[in-house]
Amino acid sequence: MLLRLPAALLFGSCALAPLPAAAASGACPNPELSLGCGSCHGAAPDALPALPRAPAPALYARLARLRDAPYTGTVMPRLLAGLDDQTLQALAAAIACERGGAP
Amino acid sequence: MTTRRQLLGGFAALATVALPAAVRAASARVVIVGGGFAGASCALALRRIAPALELAVVEPRGTFLTGPFSNAALAGLIGPERIRARPGDGLRRHGIRWFAQAAVALDPVARELRLADGRRLRAERIVVAPGIDFVYEAIDGLSAANSDAVPHAWRIDGQFARLRAQLDALPDGATVLIAAPPNPYRCPPGPYERASLFAWHAQRRGLRRRIVIADAKDDFSKRAAFMASWNALYPGMIEWWPRAQGGAVVAVDVAARRVHLAGGETVHAALLSLIPPQRAAAFARDADLADASGWCPVEPLGFESTRHPGIHVLGDACIAAPMPKSAFAANNQGKACALAIAHRLAGETPPAALLLNTCYSLLAPDYALSISGSYRAVGGRLNELSSGLSPAHADPALRELEARHAEGWQAQLLRDSFG
């Protein structure tokens, strides 16, 4: 049968919660950058871990590590490989706002 | 290298742009034709982005089986309920008006739809996400009427149960032939995942099986990784016959279960799964949205038709190359289109969305391969920013990790698209 790895093994534990008011009211920056994230990361029972709730600089650091780390064969480094630092910062800010982390 | 100070400095300047109030307040009528991955995700995103819009979806099916993991469901690796979408439920839950009937015609100039019950709907923007049709006549002897006997199940519903029953009934030593179509088509790695999981299906039953992929192409998605994996998992079971070796299926005798290949060879198989060449669904072609290729050209910011302004074409029916025709691409296009429509209705130029694609193929319960890419409109064209795929040779632990990721991908893609 199919085994399921606990989410914490992959991404660290992240609480699931409804969208913060800022995201729901369209007040978050650059929604055009983050629209693909929720296609994998969300609240489905078997989903990949939810995006962490964290301030934008911490998210940026995490995304940059994923982009720049030696290639391990999974998808995230490939998806981030084409984004320059500035775009990655804007993406981190969008996610931080949508997830209710500090700016 | 960028210093930490530079990074933090750049940050404050960027973190202030949000949707203009006029975008949020856009009030107009938008009608979406098709409740698949593209249409449903577009509807949900529009509801969120511009709540004042009068929004309706025209989709005759309240529930249907979806493509991602459908080969796993065919082979019995998962139950079919895992791939079932219920767009009707999601639309109702989000208060989106749902016409549970077919749209039969679109006047792309008047922007007026005609529904099966004769009702007419006019809208400022119409989103067309009707999926694909099959060009049965490209294979001599094949037709819409007899295709059920050599099922492609490439729209899943309808032929899914038939193909699964044929697979389950195969005796020891049976030959299976899968005809893989020419580009472009829905789900590029799909025929090869199907061959893999049909091999898994035989192996777990202790049956010998010969699986031939008769291909209209000379290459395919994740080929090196697929072929190395077939050697490791199913040695000697799967044969790939490319076009250059005469592999394309040119004719079929459906009753005799026999195909004729371009190279002159005739193959008799206990199970034939003929996946025909494809084009945009007739609804879009009849509405003058397709060009001579049979697919619908669109601009890359909001997937608005280049033939008829105010009409957007999403998902497999549109020409979004270099994005593949995949459920994930359709889902991302739906959201980008929603953002663009809200901006256009407010008289604003939409921002260029970062579009993603990821497609996992399962080759066994604990073995998956992936391909992914990122895309963005640059200078009026959709540009590939990055792409990559699973290594051709890798430790089993990576294949297993990707299989777990694949499960999450499939589950969340359904949830994100259909609510």
Side-chain angles (χ1 to χ4, degrees):
Chain A
M1 267 326 345
L2 304 176
L3 297 169
R4 296 203 159 79
L5 290 182
L9 283 186
L10 300 170
F11 252 75
S13 71
C14 319
L16 292 175
L19 274 183
S25 70
C28 283
N30 300 110
E32 77 281 5
L33 294 179
S34 59
L35 59 79
C37 304
S39 311
C40 279
H41 300 282
D46 295 323
L48 290 149
L51 299 168
R53 177 166 299 169
L59 282 175
Y60 168 74
R62 201 152 169 178
L63 288 167
R65 264 202 312 278
L66 270 173
R67 181 191 61 184
D68 302 333
Y71 184 55
T72 58
T74 53
V75 304
M76 280 311 297
R78 304 178 209 150
L79 290 172
L80 298 173
L83 305 184
D84 59 23
D85 289 341
Q86 193 186 16
T87 308
L88 213 57
Q89 286 163 25
L91 174 60
I95 296 170
C97 177
E98 287 162 17
R99 296 287 297 142
Chain B
M1 284 301 289
T2 315
T3 66
R4 182 176 162 76
R5 185 186 305 259
Q6 282 170 320
L7 295 180
L8 294 174
F11 223 80
L14 280 161
T16 51
V17 194
L19 287 180
V23 172
R24 299 270 314 146
S27 91
R29 177 184 275 189
V30 177
V31 180
I32 298 171
V33 179
F37 284 96
S41 65
C42 186
L44 296 183
L46 271 172
R47 171 53 78 226
R48 209 165 45 236
I49 295 166
L53 286 181
E54 187 188 334
L55 189 57
V57 174
V58 183
E59 166 60 64
R61 306 163 301 171
T63 171
F64 50 85
L65 299 180
T66 57
F69 274 27
S70 58
N71 287 317
L74 280 171
L77 196 152
I78 59 166
E81 282 313 302
R82 282 264 295 272
I83 61 167
R84 181 169 293 285
R86 303 177 189 283
D89 292 1
L91 295 171
R92 267 196 298 262
R93 207 162 33 244
H94 291 89
I96 297 166
R97 183 157 192 201
W98 171 36
F99 292 95
Q101 56 176 308
V104 294
L106 165 65
D107 177 336
V109 178
R111 291 201 285 274
E112 183 179 86
L113 275 172
R114 189 157 52 80
L115 306 192
D117 70 359
R119 197 183 324 221
R120 288 167 191 275
L121 301 177
R122 271 177 188 259
E124 276 85 350
R125 296 265 161 177
I126 294 179
V127 178
V128 177
I132 54 165
D133 271 348
F134 300 99
V135 188
Y136 291 106
E137 60 275 18
I139 296 175
D140 193 31
L142 184 64
S143 67
N146 68 17
S147 166
D148 279 359
V150 290
H152 50 77
W154 220 244
R155 255 187 319 232
I156 324 302
D157 270 351
Q159 293 187 341
F160 175 86
R162 205 175 286 268
L163 181 53
R164 190 170 60 164
Q166 284 196 21
L167 180 68
D168 287 342
L170 285 177
D172 187 33
T175 295
V176 172
L177 184 136
I178 298 168
N183 290 323
Y185 63 101
R186 164 179 289 179
C187 189
Y192 314 95
E193 180 191 58
R194 176 170 291 180
S196 312
L197 290 175
F198 282 14
W200 175 81
H201 177 275
Q203 195 181 62
R204 78 188 285 250
R205 287 166 176 72
L207 301 175
R208 289 164 299 161
R209 187 168 293 168
R210 177 187 186 214
I211 299 169
V212 174
I213 305 166
D215 211 327
K217 306 178 293 302
D218 287 323
D219 197 3
F220 61 86
S221 175
K222 301 181 265 197
R223 178 161 69 91
F226 263 112
M227 296 185 87
S229 302
W230 291 340
N231 277 334
L233 297 171
Y234 312 114
M237 281 179 80
I238 301 174
E239 300 167 36
W240 177 58
W241 297 359
R243 187 186 63 111
Q245 289 170 31
V249 172
V250 292
V252 60
D253 180 338
V254 166
R257 292 193 195 287
R258 209 166 39 222
V259 293
H260 188 65
L261 304 183
E265 193 158 353
T266 295
V267 181
H268 178 268
L271 191 166
L272 291 173
S273 178
L274 303 189
I275 307 162
Q278 293 157 32
R279 60 185 169 187
F283 177 82
R285 287 182 287 114
D286 293 347
D288 189 41
L289 297 170
D291 65 18
S293 73
W295 304 98
C296 304
V298 292
E299 56 77 34
L301 287 180
F303 299 88
E304 188 168 353
S305 169
T306 56
R307 299 169 67 86
H308 292 286
I311 312 287
H312 300 250
V313 188
L314 300 180
D316 295 340
C318 79
I319 302 173
M323 292 189 93
K325 297 190 185 299
S326 75
F328 201 104
N331 161 290
N332 270 235
Q333 290 163 12
K335 294 186 238 180
C337 175
L339 203 54
I341 284 177
H343 278 79
R344 295 282 187 211
L345 289 173
E348 310 254 352
T349 302
L354 175 63
L355 297 157
L356 305 179
N357 180 62
T358 292
C359 296
Y360 287 94
S361 302
L362 276 179
L363 285 74
D366 293 323
Y367 198 114
L369 303 174
S370 63
I371 184 163
S372 35
S374 66
Y375 312 86
R376 205 168 186 191
V378 179
R381 293 174 53 92
L382 203 54
N383 206 37
E384 183 175 271
L385 302 182
S386 66
S387 69
L389 64 162
S390 305
H393 300 276
D395 190 88
L398 176 64
R399 307 304 197 202
E400 186 172 353
L401 179 64
E402 289 222 284
R404 301 292 81 80
H405 290 176
E407 290 167 11
W409 161 87
Q410 185 267 341
Q412 179 61 22
L413 188 55
L414 271 189
R415 169 89 166 226
D416 187 56
S417 302
F418 298 104

